[in-house]
Structures are given as structure tokens and as C-alpha cells.
């Protein structure tokens, strides 16, 4: 036998037994996107590396450490250096927004996407090289209401998934007016304590100092006394943040302030947030996160256009729901079409087709096995009902595989009988 080939490290196969939970997690995302009046957008799985360099910032982890580069088999090294699998959705969506001149459309635009993202990171539990995100973006609205609306939507998602205890952690990191001042104060504070920083943080101090705050190994004393961005907001950012908080309070959305929540990417301004199950704030525990990115469209060659959005990790959300034993609603009952006649495949298929047209979930046995064996295997496959096709073209036998009862009726009566 040939040696079996395994899946790449950091990837997972979605097996049939996992599909009910995934279907549900994705269906809730789709339904909420629809209900909150978002329109679907799809962008390519790979983009120019330059898009991520400009959009996410050279010093972000996604660019510096985790870029998943791709190139064709015959491509030159330059070509291969040009492309990367998308590590996150926002840069691609705003690239599309600029490229298609979408700023002239009636706005604000509300866009959603559900699909795989790629980060070439060291795989761990909850951290994969390919994972799925549900993403929403509102482009063209600078006001605080939409921040609260988007955070409430994320919160609602987890509630619908059956997660009881999800908290939105919230911060404001200011904008081009006040962030430089805050950054200077922070750098001064951290530089005076450089000997207590990790190597990573010492490097970040020069490239992306706000990110020192989300170093999980930051000395707790240094972290606790660090200057907080919310104390250095300009009047406009302060008013925006206060309004967002007031609106979240009025909606009853559970949130907590987190002064260290800066998010990893350069494009964020003002509001940043992340969702966690309360009390579970480990590295690989964030269920989703997002923020406002009022400067991104301009960075990508468009007109200045405000935006806000989030990415929710479907993998981790499904895991969290399973851990909390959130109930997965049952699929509609399965019906198996079986028959005593070995050579009546056309009749079996015709019956299955009619039952499917009536809205039932149906599989059909194409074997020449004895009826008893067909019924046994239908039950093993999870069928609740069997429809036994007989000699008479007009009637079938409907068998309740759990109660071991059966009765004769016409095919058109089956759907109603099952209810
Ligand atoms: P981020 O933009 O990194 O905050 O990602 C948003 C969400 O996507 C996170 O809160 C996670 O739920 C999920 N996520 C990010 N990276 C990974 C990964 N490597 N594996 C699985 N899920 C991830």
C-alpha cells in the first residue's frame, strides 16, 4: 500500500460529524448579515503582498512573521515574492472598495464576507494556519452609532450561538491628531524601563510601540502603570468614545474597558474591541475582534473614508460552543427509501425525488440486499423513517424506525404524515 499523505500542519479537515455545528455557526453569521442589512462581498484568497504591507503595516505580526507567500511553479522569484494568501479580510475589501470606485454608491456601505484566512504561524490549539472568519465592514460612516451597532452585532452572534458569557473588551487608541502625542508619552515611559521588556517588545518599542502593550509577557507592574491611550484622547476622540460607550450601555451590551487592547494592525483608529468568554483571556482565546480604521482607504490609494468592522473566528466560536455544550439544533429527520424488489431502481429514485420535492431529507438505498438488511442499515445511518417502495406504484409503506410501526399510504401523504 502507498504511504498515506496527511493534511498540512496547522490545517484541519471538517469531517461530517463536525458539520452540524459548523453549518449552524455559518448560518447564524449569514442570517445576521442579512438581518442587519449587509451585502455580501467576496475578494480573492490571495492578494499582492504590497496590499498587506501598506494596509496592515510592516511591523504587524501578520506581515512581519506570518505572511503565507504563494507563487506559481514556474514563476520567477520576484513573482513569488509578489503574492500572499490573505491573513485578514479588511485590506482586501477596502482594496476592492477603492478599485471599484464604490465611494460613489449610496452609503454607508455595509459589507460581509465568510471565508478562509491564512497565517503562517506556529500551529497550536486554537491557532491554525488556515481558519475561517466571518467579517463585517461598514464603510463611509464616521459616527459613533455604527461602532455600537457593530459591537452589538458581534455580541448577538455569540448569544445566538448559545455562548452565555461573552464580553466585549473595548478601548480607544485615538487618531492621527492625538495618537502621536500618546505614542511619545508611551515610548518615554517604556524606554525608561527597557531592561524589563522582552526582546520582542524592545524591538516593537522602535517599530510599533503600542504593540508592546499587548505583549503577553509584559511585566505586570510595567503594564499596570503604563500611560493609557484613553487619558490622551483629543476632544473629538473622547466625545466619540463616550458616545460609543453610552450607546452600548443603552443597548445593554456587556463590555469592559481594556487599556492594553491596541490590536495588532496599523490601520486601527479610535475604537478597538475584542470578544472573549468572560475570564478566558489567553492568547488563543479571542473569539473575534475589530475596530475603526478611518485612515485605511487613503493608505490604499482611495479618498479618505472612515470604516469599522470585525472578524469573528468561526473555528474558535465552534470550539467554545462545544466546550459550553451549547445545544446544536437537530437536523430535520432523515428518510430512507428502501425496497423489496432488487431491480426497481427507477421506482426508488422516483419516490426519493418526489419526497425531496416535498421538502424532506432523503437518502435512497440502491442495493439488492434483503429488505430487513436495508432497514437495519437505514437505522444505522440515522434515518428516523423508512419509505418502502412496493409493487403498487401508488402506495408505499411508511415505517417508523424508532417505534417499529408501519402503515400504508400514498407517496403524496408521506410528508404530512412525518410532519
Ligand atoms: P484577529 O484579526 O487576529 O484579531 O483575528 C480575528 C479572529 O479570528 C480572532 O479573534 C480569532 O477568533 C480568529 N483567528 C485569528 N487568527 C487565528 C488562527 N491562527 N487560528 C484560528 N483562529 C484565528
Amino acid at each position: 500500500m502507498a504511504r498515506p499523505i496527511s493534511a498540512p500542519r496547522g490545517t484541519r479537515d471538517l469531517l461530517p460529524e463536525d458539520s452540524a455545528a459548523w453549518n449552524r455557526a455559518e448560518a447564524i453569521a449569514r442570517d445576521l448579515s442579512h438581518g442587519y442589512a449587509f451585502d455580501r462581498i467576496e475578494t480573492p484568497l490571495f492578494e499582492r503582498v504590497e496590499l498587506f504591507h501598506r494596509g496592515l503595516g510592516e511591523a504587524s505580526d501578520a506581515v512581519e512573521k506570518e505572511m503565507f507567500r504563494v507563487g506559481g511553479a514556474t514563476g520567477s522569484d520576484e513573482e513569488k515574492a509578489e503574492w500572499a494568501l490573505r491573513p485578514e479580510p479588511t485590506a482586501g475589501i477596502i482594496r476592492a472598495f477603492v478599485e471599484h470606485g464604490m465611494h460613489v454608491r449610496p452609503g454607508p456601505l455595509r459589507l460581509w464576507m465568510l471565508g478562509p484566512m491564512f497565517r503562517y504561524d506556529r500551529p497550536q490549539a486554537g491557532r491554525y494556519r488556515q481558519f475561517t472568519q466571518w467579517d463585517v465592514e461598514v464603510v463611509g460612516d464616521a459616527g459613533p452609532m455604527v461602532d455600537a451597532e457593530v459591537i452589538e452585532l458581534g455580541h448577538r452572534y455569540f448569544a445566538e450561538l448559545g455562548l452565555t458569557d461573552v464580553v466585549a473588551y473595548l478601548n480607544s487608541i485615538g487618531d492621527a491628531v492625538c495618537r502621536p502625542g500618546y505614542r511619545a508619552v508611551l515610548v518615554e515611559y517604556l524606554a525608561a524601563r527597557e531592561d524589563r521588556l522582552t526582546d520582542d517588545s524592545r524591538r516593537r518599542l522602535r517599530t510599533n510601540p503600542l504593540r508592546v502593550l499587548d505583549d503577553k509577557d509584559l511585566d505586570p507592574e510595567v503594564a499596570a502603570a503604563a500611560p493609557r491611550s484613553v487619558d490622551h484622547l483629543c476632544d473629538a476622540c473622547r466625545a466619540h468614545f463616550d458616545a460609543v460607550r453610552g450607546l452600548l450601555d443603552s443597548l445593554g451590551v456587556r463590555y469592559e474597558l481594556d487599556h492594553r487592547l491596541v490590536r495588532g494592525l496599523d490601520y486601527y483608529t479610535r475604537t478597538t474591541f475584542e470578544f472573549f468568554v468572560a475570564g478566558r483571556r489567553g492568547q488563543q482565546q479571542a473569539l473575534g475582534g475589530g475596530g475603526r480604521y478611518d485612515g485605511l482607504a487613503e493608505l490604499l490609494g482611495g479618498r479618505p473614508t472612515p470604516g469599522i468592522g470585525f472578524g469573528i473566528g468561526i473555528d474558535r466560536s465552534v470550539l467554545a460552543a462545544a466546550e459550553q455544550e451549547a445545544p446544536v439544533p437537530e437536523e430535520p429527520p432523515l428518510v430512507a427509501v428502501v425496497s423489496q424488489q432488487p431491480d426497481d431502481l427507477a421506482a426508488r429514485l422516483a419516490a426519493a425525488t418526489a419526497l425531496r420535492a416535498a421538502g424532506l431529507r432523503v437518502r435512497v438505498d440502491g442495493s439488492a440486499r434483503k429488505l430487513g438488511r436495508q432497514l437495519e442499515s437505514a437505522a444505522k445511518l440515522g434515518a428516523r423513517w423508512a419509505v418502502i417502495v412496493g409493487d403498487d406504484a401508488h402506495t408505499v409503506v411508511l415505517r417508523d424506525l424508532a417505534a417499529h410501526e408501519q402503515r400504508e399510504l400514498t407517496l403524496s401523504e408521506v410528508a404530512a404524515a412525518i410532519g
Side-chain angles (χ1 to χ4, degrees):
M1 267 204 294
R3 180 176 54 84
I5 297 172
S6 49
R9 260 187 92 210
T11 67
R12 300 181 313 151
D13 298 311
L14 175 65
L15 299 177
E17 57 269 31
D18 308 322
S19 66
W22 270 79
N23 285 346
R24 183 155 165 272
E26 292 178 343
I28 294 170
R30 286 200 180 90
D31 290 350
L32 286 175
S33 299
H34 189 246
Y36 281 62
F38 284 79
D39 295 314
R40 180 170 168 190
I41 186 164
E42 284 291 333
T43 63
L45 297 193
F46 63 99
E47 298 266 4
R48 278 179 205 286
V49 168
E50 188 193 352
L51 172 68
F52 304 121
H53 275 207
R54 273 210 255 161
L56 277 52
E58 308 268 348
S60 62
D61 278 358
V63 167
E64 200 178 44
K65 298 186 191 160
E66 299 164 6
M67 199 69 102
F68 205 131
R69 308 249 182 184
V70 287
T74 56
S76 65
D77 283 351
E78 285 92 64
E79 279 169 333
K80 284 182 189 160
E82 203 173 333
W83 310 105
L85 297 179
R86 62 184 185 195
E88 61 84 56
T90 310
I93 291 175
I94 300 304
R95 192 253 325 124
F97 174 84
V98 172
E99 183 169 344
H100 301 288
M102 289 166 82
H103 62 279
V104 299
R105 300 183 186 205
L109 281 156
R110 299 165 72 85
L111 305 167
W112 74 276
M113 187 162 98
L114 180 67
M117 306 294 151
F118 304 85
R119 295 184 195 170
Y120 202 81
D121 199 359
R122 198 160 46 81
Q124 288 177 22
R127 187 160 77 193
Y128 311 112
R129 286 184 173 164
Q130 175 177 337
F131 57 96
T132 299
Q133 264 189 18
W134 170 44
D135 184 72
V136 306
E137 309 289 349
V138 182
V139 189
D141 190 336
M145 189 193 78
V146 70
D147 301 34
E149 197 187 0
V150 160
I151 293 168
E152 190 277 330
L153 169 57
H155 207 258
R156 171 91 176 267
Y157 175 74
F158 298 115
E160 298 219 347
L161 202 56
L163 289 172
T164 44
D165 231 8
V166 173
V167 182
Y169 291 88
L170 187 66
N171 195 14
S172 173
I173 56 171
D175 64 3
V177 175
C178 50
R179 187 134 41 124
Y182 169 61
R183 180 193 280 247
V185 172
L186 182 66
V187 168
E188 193 185 338
Y189 171 84
L190 292 172
R193 291 156 185 83
E194 200 167 339
D195 53 329
R196 294 163 75 183
L197 302 183
T198 60
D199 288 347
D200 241 7
S201 276
R202 239 173 266 145
R203 210 166 30 78
R204 284 177 181 168
L205 187 54
R206 280 167 195 97
T207 54
N208 194 346
L210 266 65
R211 293 229 41 220
V212 174
L213 296 176
D214 69 9
D215 181 345
K216 68 176 185 343
D217 297 320
L218 183 60
D219 181 328
E221 277 177 24
V222 175
R228 307 178 329 174
S229 55
V230 289
D231 297 330
H232 294 82
L233 297 178
C234 57
D235 289 346
C237 284
R238 155 78 34 218
H240 186 96
F241 193 48
D242 289 346
V244 173
R245 294 180 57 187
L247 289 164
L248 288 174
D249 288 335
S250 73
L251 285 169
V253 170
R254 190 167 161 203
Y255 71 89
E256 285 176 27
L257 297 187
D258 178 352
H259 304 299
R260 289 176 63 186
L261 203 157
V262 297
R263 305 277 298 151
L265 312 179
D266 277 4
Y267 59 55
Y268 286 107
T269 50
R270 293 193 170 169
T271 313
T272 54
F273 55 92
E274 280 187 355
F275 297 100
F276 286 83
V277 172
R280 304 207 37 190
R281 296 218 52 194
Q283 272 274 291
Q284 267 67 250
Q285 312 263 23
L287 298 173
R292 187 165 265 292
Y293 47 82
D294 294 346
L296 180 60
E298 221 176 338
L299 273 179
L300 299 182
R303 294 154 194 254
T305 314
I308 182 165
F310 66 59
I312 283 180
I314 300 292
D315 307 67
R316 289 188 198 166
S317 300
V318 168
L319 280 174
E323 271 171 27
Q324 290 197 7
E325 294 176 8
V328 177
E330 286 193 19
E331 303 257 338
L334 179 65
V335 180
V337 171
V338 298
S339 174
Q340 219 145 17
Q341 319 295 331
D343 53 0
D344 67 347
L345 298 183
R348 299 184 198 194
L349 271 183
T353 306
L355 294 170
R356 287 167 180 155
L360 296 175
R361 201 170 144 242
V362 180
R363 59 186 294 156
V364 50
D365 190 324
S367 76
R369 294 177 294 179
K370 293 219 164 65
L371 181 62
R373 297 289 305 283
Q374 291 183 44
L375 290 171
E376 253 171 49
S377 74
K380 275 193 196 144
L381 287 165
R384 173 75 171 73
W385 304 92
V387 168
I388 307 167
V389 179
D391 292 338
D392 178 353
H394 300 292
T395 58
V396 292
V397 170
L398 176 65
R399 183 173 174 84
D400 182 330
L401 292 170
H404 306 288
E405 289 166 5
Q406 60 185 48
R407 62 186 158 128
E408 209 168 276
L409 30 61
T410 67
L411 204 51
S412 54
E413 288 167 336
V414 170
I418 286 173

